[in-house]
Amino acid sequence: MTGALLEVERLTMEFRAHRGTGGGRVQAVRGVSFTIGKGEILGLVGETGSGKTTVGKCVVRLLNPSAGTVRFDGQDITRVPRGKLRQLRARFQMVFQDPYSSLDPRMTVARIVAEPVRAHTTDSATEVRAKAARAIERVGLPSGVLQRLPHELSGGQRQRVGLARALVLEPQLLIADEPVSALDVSVRAGILNLLADLQRSMGFSCLFITHDLSVAEFLCDRVAVMYLGEIVEVGTRDELFADPRHPYTQSLLAAAPLPDPVRQRGRAGARLAGEPASNVTPPPGCGLNPRCPLADDRCIAEAPAFTVVSALGHMTRCHRVEERQSAQ
Amino acid sequence: MSLTIAPDPAAMLEAAGQSGRHWLRRLVERPPAVIGLAGVIVVVVVAVFAPLLAPYSPVASSFQAVLARPFTAGHLLGTDELGRDVLSRMIYGAQPTLEVGVLATGLALVVGVPIGLVSGYYRGAADMLAMRITDVVLAFPFLLVAIGLAAIFGPSLRNVVLALGIASLPGFVRIARAEAMALREQDFVQAAIVTGVRDRVILFRHLLPNMAGPILVQATLTIPGAILGSALLSYLGLGVQPPTASWGNMLATAQEYLFNDPWLAVFPGVAIFLATLCFNLLGDGLRDLFDPAMR
Amino acid sequence: MPAVLEVDDLQVRLFDRTGPVLAVRGISLSVRRGEVVALVGESGCGKSVTALSLLRLLPGDAQVTGSVRVDGREVLELSPAQLRTIRGGEVAMVFQEPMTSLNPAFSVGNQIAEVLRLHQGLRGAQARARALELLRMVGIGDPEKRLRSFPHELSGGMRQRVMIAMALAGEPKLLVLDEPTTALDVTTQAQILDIVRDLRSRTGMAILLITHDLGVVADIADRIVVMYAGAKVEEADVYDLFRAPRHPYAAGLLGALPGSAVARREAGRLRLAEIPGMVPVLRAPLESCAFAPRCQRATDQCREQPPLLTPCGPADDHAVACFHPEPVATVPA
């Protein structure tokens, strides 16, 4: 890991709220900053409404962020002109959650996988075909699927096609938005193994967006936890899972059931009460304060800043952690 | 061993909705749509092969047999006020009637779909403009617009097509726009954007083919409207001009003889009614096929 | 003590465009009072069809044979009127999607009161008091206000609580939960599972939990039944199965999960187990093991005759339908 490939700084995204919310604005992402090093997989973990998918869409500029910068290899892609952006897109690609809607139902697999090559190179038809065939082989599919239509494939096969399309140009960054959540367990395992293998052999960086902590723990080098539009904790996988500091991360980890009754039933059952606050009217101070058992007046009065808790860059935004840290 | 490996049910349903052979078969499972399809085929065959099918020339007068009643010798549907064979005029009349319907619909489709496609995909200023224009066209009653245009441009087949085409435009703009907006949010279009595919390619390779179904439905439902419109314009003397026969102008001339010789009005009237009905039945059948909820 | 639910050799044949589908192929299971039995499998394994056939909720052309006894009464032979008293009465069901299971046009209070009127004969103030009590039981804060709420005003977790409250209104002996937390976030799921755990110990209901999530099973179930292609392939105490799954499919499912006890490590990194191929759709009875085409342990025997469910040990209530079950010893305890 030498230097950052992606630097996201103070990223903010607001939407006009839908009916019934009094014309407010949904603050989907509120000042999110993170970096991804070369060859690193960063997991972005959160529940529904945490803003993790919006962050992903801003990073690939499917959405234009309200504020903040997204620097890819030094260039701020929130500000590059359209033509330049189109060229840059060859270097960062995306995999989507739904293997059924992410492939054009009327295109053969060969055309789907060849499309990025056609868009970015002047390769001859033979070269394009060869690249598509190689990409399909790389994701572990038989070459026979090239002439198939998406609906003739299973969910797992479709997701592999999506991966082949994203990797055919050998991008430096892959944004994967819940790529395995729509799949059955046995199929999911194949895709996760494949992603891990491909990352090691091709060396791309990856922003892996997921709600599933066990998946993040399996695949990611570092993990960032989002709550109500903000990153509340970020750290290396080992540190974050072994020693979560933020009350939200702690209860999220405690709430995700382990597929092992011995360990699952032996765990302390610290539960968060209630549900996340509205992101149209987020609470003042720390976003978690209405649900947090440790919250006091300070948590309502002032938003916590990041406290670094380890030499490896494990940090979290919690007044309690900061107070404990400075007391030492 | 009868072990069929199949993907999950969702994929199976989707497969049924998307492969070509399947939807033809499923169309055939709907009796009203089949009746509609059969009727449409009959009208098309009659229009195309009119010279072969008609027993007489549509304009040849026979003064021995003026206003002959139906089922008289040699004239199955009788003759008109100039002694022309009604059956032959009906057969030849299918041609301009269908022509107006198809051409007007084609014009509306060719102009309306790209407008809707672009305004739905890009939104913004282009969308505002397209929507306001279609709102203006929609605010006028369909036939009033056609009558106005026919009055301005003068009565001729071309002008009828133009008038009805413009009047049918908003339907296509709206459908294409709605489809483009929906498809734009689909992951496969988002994927194409992220991949850096050119807009032109996205519009014509991803959006257009995937909205073909609803547009076909809209076309099938627009043709009968245009046929009715052309009949009305002919009736008002603004459409196809005599002596060329069209169902509309046959109906118009027939009104003078409505009292004594009602069949002159009944046959073209019934023909217009049935043709319109068949197109509508077919269109409804196609709509059911393409409706995701029916899959 | 007799079981609350006893299913014996349940067979369900459904019809799609192409013809008959053998959705359930001879399932037997029982759920005793106070027990949580999990029915587990991936999409298309027949677990939801099994759940629906318990209350005869399948489409009219479905062919159901075998026996489903609730408290000794044969459900498959009940008249429509008797069936109505069982549905929402002795047997209550909670589905995955709480939004579509609630009527959007009526308030929460109205819908709970309806169940109370039908099955408990309660009306007016009595019904209201009981509805409030039920909402409190499922952990809904400010129940007076919630009685007047409409489904769209509630979050997904809140709606699922309401669904459970409605299920409880008929004081069921058996509660069938069909993927009750699949649509929910994990923190909400944990709250719902706490409620289920609490209800079980308080009311002694028998609970049949249909799920694909082995984490949920590990958290709450006493016994587990693993289904594949419409048939039961393994049944065991939860602890036994998670420690030493005997059927290759069950072992594969567990090995595919990063956090399970049987997941393997390769060169210091976790390697997840993969099951190649797809779940088959069966249209005619099989003369082989349904899992054989995907199984690494399959032999000619597996391809020539279907294995029957047989006790396999080490525990005496552990049974597997496999000629070559996974050895217990290779799985680290």
Side-chain angles (χ1 to χ4, degrees), chain B residues 115 119 123-136 173:
Chain B
I115 293 176
S119 75
R123 309 299 310 272
D127 187 34
M128 285 290 286
L129 187 69
M131 281 301 95
R132 291 302 80 77
I133 292 173
T134 56
D135 281 346
V136 169
V173 175

Side-chain angles (χ1 to χ4, degrees), chain A residues 28-42:
Chain A
V29 177
R30 306 190 288 152
V32 160
S33 305
F34 61 87
T35 62
I36 300 182
K38 293 206 169 82
E40 183 184 41
I41 306 185
L42 175 73

Side-chain angles (χ1 to χ4, degrees), chain A residues 35-114:
Chain A
T35 62
I36 300 182
K38 293 206 169 82
E40 183 184 41
I41 306 185
L42 175 73
L44 197 56
V45 175
E47 296 183 283
T48 313
S50 63
K52 58 188 190 302
T53 292
T54 308
V55 169
K57 286 191 169 176
C58 289
V59 167
V60 296
R61 210 173 143 187
L62 275 174
L63 293 171
N64 286 315
S66 318
T69 58
V70 176
R71 267 197 302 283
F72 175 77
D73 207 9
Q75 300 176 76
D76 184 358
I77 57 173
T78 60
R79 281 181 190 83
V80 297
R82 282 180 71 88
K84 178 80 183 144
L85 176 67
R86 207 186 71 76
Q87 287 173 8
L88 265 181
R89 285 194 188 285
R91 297 165 62 194
F92 54 89
Q93 296 282 310
M94 188 158 179
V95 185
F96 293 79
Q97 171 175 3
D98 182 356
Y100 291 95
S101 75
S102 59
L103 306 179
D104 189 328
R106 279 160 215 276
M107 284 192 176
T108 61
V109 169
R111 272 184 74 192
I112 290 168
V113 178

Side-chain angles (χ1 to χ4, degrees), chain C residues 126-154:
Chain C
Q126 265 184 317
R128 196 184 135 78
R130 177 72 181 139
L132 283 174
E133 192 184 334
L134 288 167
L135 288 184
R136 274 190 211 102
M137 261 171 99
V138 295
I140 289 183
D142 199 356
E144 280 89 357
K145 184 180 156 207
R146 287 299 165 218
L147 274 188
R148 291 188 302 273
S149 297
F150 284 83
H152 71 267
E153 298 168 324
L154 306 177

Side-chain angles (χ1 to χ4, degrees), chain B residues 104-117:
Chain B
T105 301
L107 176 71
L109 187 151
V110 167
V111 177
V113 168
I115 293 176
L117 189 62

Side-chain angles (χ1 to χ4, degrees), chain A residues 47-48 154 157 160 184-190 192-193 196-197 200 214-215 218-219 248 251-252 255-265 271-275 291, chain C residues 42-43 155 157-158 185-187 189-191 194 197 212 214-221 238-239 242 253 256-261 269-275 278 294:
Chain A
E47 296 183 283
T48 313
S154 71
Q157 288 175 322
R160 283 170 193 257
D184 267 325
V185 182
S186 62
V187 180
R188 173 195 309 187
L192 288 174
N193 284 337
D197 294 346
R200 253 168 281 157
S214 68
V215 167
F218 168 73
L219 197 64
Y248 177 70
S251 48
L252 192 64
L258 299 168
D260 180 350
V262 181
R263 284 198 289 151
Q264 172 60 21
R265 295 180 200 197
R271 295 272 189 268
L272 269 188
E275 289 169 1
R291 304 174 75 188
Chain C
E42 297 181 286
S43 322
S155 67
M158 203 68 95
D185 277 320
V186 283
T187 51
Q189 165 172 288
Q191 295 168 355
D194 283 344
R197 220 186 322 268
H212 72 280
L214 289 164
V216 171
V217 176
D219 187 39
I220 201 167
V238 161
Y239 287 93
F242 278 79
L253 279 187
L257 290 170
S260 71
R269 293 193 74 125
L270 206 55
R271 186 82 195 166
L272 304 177
E274 297 177 34
I275 307 177
M278 281 178 287
R294 304 175 69 186

Side-chain angles (χ1 to χ4, degrees), chain C residues 5 23 25 34 53 56-57 71 73 83 91 106 133 142 148-149 158 191 243 261-262 268 281 283 297 300 306 308 325:
Chain C
L5 173 71
R25 304 183 296 135
S53 55
R56 290 174 40 195
L57 293 169
D71 228 12
R73 284 166 86 191
L83 202 55
V91 184
F106 294 98
E133 192 184 334
D142 199 356
R148 291 188 302 273
S149 297
M158 203 68 95
Q191 295 168 355
R243 188 175 58 244
V262 300
V281 174
R283 301 196 175 276
R297 306 176 66 84
D300 287 344
L308 299 174

Side-chain angles (χ1 to χ4, degrees), chain C residues 235-265:
Chain C
E235 174 168 10
D237 177 84
V238 161
Y239 287 93
D240 292 336
L241 190 124
F242 278 79
R243 188 175 58 244
R246 304 299 308 276
H247 196 282
Y249 177 66
L253 279 187
L254 277 170
L257 290 170
S260 71
V262 300
R264 278 200 316 279
R265 287 199 165 265

